[in-house]
Amino acid sequence: MSKVAVIMGSKSDFSVVKPAVSVLKSFGVEVEVRVISAHRTPEEAHDFSSNAVKRGFEVIICAAGKAAHLGGVIAASTTLPVIGLPVKTDMMGGLDSLLSIVQMPSGIPVATVGVNGGENAGLLALQILGVKYPAIAKKLSEYKSAMREKINADDVALQSESEQV
Protein backbone atom coordinates (compact mmCIF):
# COMPACT_ATOMS: atom_id res chain seq x y z
CA MET A 1 0.00 0.00 0.00
CA SER A 2 1.21 3.50 -0.81
CA LYS A 3 2.00 5.82 2.08
CA VAL A 4 2.23 9.63 2.18
CA ALA A 5 3.38 11.86 5.03
CA VAL A 6 1.62 15.19 5.48
CA ILE A 7 3.61 17.45 7.75
CA MET A 8 2.73 20.93 8.91
CA GLY A 9 4.81 23.46 10.79
CA SER A 10 1.97 24.31 13.16
CA LYS A 11 -1.28 22.64 14.17
CA SER A 12 -3.09 25.79 13.03
CA ASP A 13 -2.23 24.77 9.44
CA PHE A 14 -4.45 21.68 9.64
CA SER A 15 -7.37 23.34 7.85
CA VAL A 16 -5.06 23.89 4.85
CA VAL A 17 -3.80 20.28 4.76
CA LYS A 18 -7.19 18.68 5.40
CA PRO A 19 -8.15 18.65 1.68
CA ALA A 20 -4.86 16.87 0.87
CA VAL A 21 -5.50 14.25 3.53
CA SER A 22 -9.08 13.83 2.33
CA VAL A 23 -8.22 13.31 -1.35
CA LEU A 24 -5.37 10.92 -0.50
CA LYS A 25 -7.60 8.81 1.75
CA SER A 26 -10.38 8.80 -0.87
CA PHE A 27 -7.90 7.06 -3.19
CA GLY A 28 -7.04 4.47 -0.53
CA VAL A 29 -3.62 5.91 0.31
CA GLU A 30 -2.31 5.54 3.86
CA VAL A 31 -1.63 8.99 5.33
CA GLU A 32 0.32 9.99 8.41
CA VAL A 33 -0.25 13.56 9.58
CA ARG A 34 2.32 15.26 11.80
CA VAL A 35 3.25 18.64 13.27
CA ILE A 36 6.99 19.16 12.90
CA SER A 37 8.55 22.61 12.82
CA ALA A 38 11.67 23.34 10.79
CA HIS A 39 12.64 26.01 13.32
CA ARG A 40 11.23 24.88 16.67
CA THR A 41 11.86 21.12 16.34
CA PRO A 42 14.77 20.82 13.87
CA GLU A 43 16.02 17.54 15.36
CA GLU A 44 12.60 15.94 14.85
CA ALA A 45 12.46 17.27 11.29
CA HIS A 46 15.85 15.77 10.48
CA ASP A 47 14.99 12.47 12.17
CA PHE A 48 11.69 12.23 10.31
CA SER A 49 13.14 12.98 6.87
CA SER A 50 16.23 10.82 7.24
CA ASN A 51 14.07 7.83 8.26
CA ALA A 52 11.11 8.43 5.92
CA VAL A 53 12.18 5.85 3.33
CA LYS A 54 12.74 3.20 6.03
CA ARG A 55 9.26 3.95 7.39
CA GLY A 56 7.69 3.25 4.00
CA PHE A 57 6.77 6.75 2.87
CA GLU A 58 6.81 7.43 -0.87
CA VAL A 59 5.90 11.14 -0.99
CA ILE A 60 6.00 13.89 1.65
CA ILE A 61 3.76 16.96 1.66
CA CYS A 62 5.01 19.87 3.80
CA ALA A 63 2.70 22.76 4.69
CA ALA A 64 4.17 25.89 6.19
CA GLY A 65 3.60 29.62 6.40
CA LYS A 66 5.74 32.74 6.76
CA ALA A 67 9.40 31.61 6.74
CA ALA A 68 8.21 28.36 5.21
CA HIS A 69 11.40 26.33 5.35
CA LEU A 70 9.85 22.99 6.32
CA GLY A 71 9.80 21.51 2.81
CA GLY A 72 13.42 22.41 2.19
CA VAL A 73 14.57 21.10 5.55
CA ILE A 74 12.77 17.82 4.90
CA ALA A 75 14.00 17.59 1.27
CA ALA A 76 17.60 18.10 2.40
CA SER A 77 17.64 14.75 4.21
CA THR A 78 15.62 12.48 1.92
CA THR A 79 15.53 11.31 -1.68
CA LEU A 80 11.73 11.15 -1.65
CA PRO A 81 9.64 13.66 -3.61
CA VAL A 82 8.66 16.57 -1.38
CA ILE A 83 5.67 18.79 -2.18
CA GLY A 84 5.55 22.22 -0.59
CA LEU A 85 2.16 23.59 0.40
CA PRO A 86 2.39 27.34 1.16
CA VAL A 87 0.01 28.57 3.84
CA LYS A 88 -1.71 31.95 3.54
CA THR A 89 -0.51 34.49 6.09
CA ASP A 90 -1.85 37.80 7.31
CA MET A 91 1.41 39.53 6.51
CA MET A 92 1.65 38.99 2.74
CA GLY A 93 -1.32 36.80 1.92
CA GLY A 94 0.89 33.76 1.49
CA LEU A 95 3.35 35.25 -0.98
CA ASP A 96 6.02 35.05 1.74
CA SER A 97 5.28 31.34 2.20
CA LEU A 98 5.21 30.67 -1.54
CA LEU A 99 8.55 32.34 -2.15
CA SER A 100 10.17 30.61 0.83
CA ILE A 101 9.15 27.23 -0.59
CA VAL A 102 9.68 27.73 -4.30
CA GLN A 103 13.11 29.43 -4.10
CA MET A 104 15.14 26.38 -3.12
CA PRO A 105 18.88 26.14 -3.73
CA SER A 106 20.19 23.94 -6.52
CA GLY A 107 20.16 20.27 -5.56
CA ILE A 108 17.25 20.49 -3.09
CA PRO A 109 14.07 20.53 -5.21
CA VAL A 110 10.66 20.98 -3.62
CA ALA A 111 7.63 20.77 -5.90
CA THR A 112 5.23 23.55 -4.97
CA VAL A 113 1.48 24.05 -5.30
CA GLY A 114 -0.46 27.28 -4.88
CA VAL A 115 -1.12 29.04 -1.60
CA ASN A 116 -3.60 27.00 0.49
CA GLY A 117 -3.67 24.45 -2.36
CA GLY A 118 -4.19 21.39 -0.18
CA GLU A 119 -6.29 19.49 -2.68
CA ASN A 120 -3.72 20.04 -5.43
CA ALA A 121 -0.92 18.90 -3.09
CA GLY A 122 -2.82 15.66 -2.53
CA LEU A 123 -3.53 15.24 -6.24
CA LEU A 124 0.11 15.86 -7.15
CA ALA A 125 1.16 13.22 -4.61
CA LEU A 126 -1.34 10.84 -6.23
CA GLN A 127 0.06 11.57 -9.70
CA ILE A 128 3.55 10.75 -8.41
CA LEU A 129 2.26 7.52 -6.86
CA GLY A 130 0.33 6.74 -10.05
CA VAL A 131 3.63 6.16 -11.87
CA LYS A 132 4.17 3.11 -9.65
CA TYR A 133 0.59 2.08 -8.84
CA PRO A 134 -1.69 1.47 -11.85
CA ALA A 135 -4.80 1.40 -9.64
CA ILE A 136 -4.10 4.96 -8.48
CA ALA A 137 -3.45 6.09 -12.07
CA LYS A 138 -6.77 4.55 -13.13
CA LYS A 139 -8.65 6.31 -10.30
CA LEU A 140 -6.99 9.61 -11.27
CA SER A 141 -8.15 9.14 -14.84
CA GLU A 142 -11.71 8.53 -13.59
CA TYR A 143 -11.44 11.58 -11.30
CA LYS A 144 -10.44 13.79 -14.25
CA SER A 145 -13.23 12.35 -16.41
CA ALA A 146 -15.76 13.21 -13.69
CA MET A 147 -14.41 16.79 -13.57
CA ARG A 148 -14.70 17.06 -17.36
CA GLU A 149 -18.29 15.76 -17.29
CA LYS A 150 -19.23 18.28 -14.60
CA ILE A 151 -17.76 21.21 -16.53
CA ASN A 152 -19.47 20.07 -19.75
CA ALA A 153 -22.81 19.80 -17.91
CA ASP A 154 -22.25 23.27 -16.39
CA ASP A 155 -21.50 24.63 -19.87
CA VAL A 156 -24.74 23.23 -21.29
CA ALA A 157 -26.75 24.55 -18.34
CA LEU A 158 -25.17 28.01 -18.60
CA GLN A 159 -25.81 28.22 -22.33
CA SER A 160 -29.44 27.37 -21.74
CA GLU A 161 -29.70 29.87 -18.89
CA SER A 162 -27.99 32.67 -20.84
CA GLU A 163 -30.38 32.24 -23.78
CA GLN A 164 -33.26 33.17 -21.47
CA VAL A 165 -31.70 36.44 -20.32
Side-chain angles (χ1 to χ4, degrees):
M1 172 186 261
S2 50
K3 187 174 175 183
V4 173
V6 179
I7 305 170
M8 65 204 87
S10 172
K11 186 180 176 191
S12 64
D13 299 335
F14 187 59
S15 64
V16 174
V17 305
K18 208 183 269 189
V21 173
S22 179
V23 75
L24 288 164
K25 286 185 175 183
S26 75
F27 276 71
V29 172
E30 183 180 345
V31 181
E32 183 174 314
V33 181
R34 300 281 308 271
V35 175
I36 301 174
S37 171
H39 303 107
R40 293 170 292 219
T41 59
E43 294 86 4
E44 288 84 345
H46 177 74
D47 181 62
F48 183 89
S49 60
S50 60
N51 291 300
V53 172
K54 289 181 219 166
R55 295 195 49 224
F57 293 106
E58 295 176 276
V59 180
I60 302 171
I61 297 172
C62 296
K66 297 184 181 176
H69 299 127
L70 182 60
V73 167
I74 296 297
S77 299
T78 187
T79 57
L80 293 175
V82 175
I83 300 169
L85 172 53
V87 175
K88 183 178 179 182
T89 62
D90 292 336
M91 190 180 309
M92 296 177 69
L95 181 60
D96 49 340
S97 309
L98 175 65
L99 293 175
S100 292
I101 294 171
V102 81
Q103 294 293 348
M104 292 303 301
S106 182
I108 312 294
V110 175
T112 309
V113 297
V115 175
N116 283 7
E119 183 177 7
N120 274 351
L123 289 168
L124 180 55
L126 289 167
Q127 288 180 318
I128 292 167
L129 293 170
V131 171
K132 180 178 178 182
Y133 298 102
I136 291 175
K138 184 176 186 282
K139 282 184 180 180
L140 276 167
S141 181
E142 293 166 357
Y143 179 88
K144 289 189 174 196
S145 289
M147 280 194 310
R148 184 174 44 256
E149 289 171 12
K150 182 191 179 312
I151 293 300
N152 287 337
D154 288 349
D155 180 43
V156 169
L158 182 62
Q159 287 178 38
S160 175
E161 185 179 322
S162 67
E163 288 174 2
Q164 299 174 11
V165 174

